[in-house]
Amino acid sequence: MKTVNETLLNRRSIRRYEREPITPQQLDFIYEAIRNTPTSYNGQQFSVIDISDQQLKEQLYALTNQKQIKTCSHFLLFCADFHKISVGAEAKGIDMPQFTHTADGLIVGTVDAALAMMSALVAAESMGLGTCCIGYARTAAPEEIAALLQLPPRTYAVCGLAIGVPREMPDLKPKQPVGLIIHQNRYTDQGLKEAVLKYDTDITRYNATRSGTKSDNDWVDHIIGYYREAMNYHMLQALRSQDFDTKR
């Protein structure tokens, strides 16, 4: 097992995996880490679909164009889930409020699922496995993925995590310095522009000199490019089809 320091500070996204499967013991540890995730109200407003069937992974790859989904050993899809509590409420004759029609309900489910993914990631990385978080599992084809995986109403895919035995060890990508992330007592813009531009330069240099595929990508324009692409997503429509119709 890796130390906490090694697990958290040397983590990198792995997109190429060996054919070697994850062992049942490793999978059990990941499951237990997920199960122990802290959640809002202890409501545990999430569920996870563990996808190991190769044909199903190929179908998800076709929808997302994320190759690591079909090459990893297990692809975990983390979902916000208010279906479980709804079933319990109906069984006990309790009126279920339309919490999924509020912004807070949307946030609660998303946060719980994201925390669960981080629990899985840390558990997997601590055992020397490779992982890659995949946001396109949420945005690429939300209705099609919901249908493919038979997601019931009051659930929706938040994020995915590819897990497997790593076949590569890419350079560690520069992250924003602590001073650009951590604010003391209050948010401050002091020195923010200079720090952002310095980080933009650091990323540009990394992309130009890293091992493997190189590029001239910066940080600011490159990330905004993703935002531009996201303007074409139809997440609100997809959420409404799963009974997440935010009204307040």
Side-chain angles (χ1 to χ4, degrees), residues 127-143:
M127 295 183 290
L129 297 173
T131 64
C132 185
C133 303
I134 302 177
Y136 278 113
R138 175 186 67 257
T139 57
E143 290 102 341

Side-chain angles (χ1 to χ4, degrees), residues 192-204:
L192 182 64
K193 181 175 72 173
E194 293 79 9
V196 167
L197 294 178
K198 170 65 167 58
Y199 179 67
D200 186 76
T201 300
D202 291 342
I203 286 290
T204 303

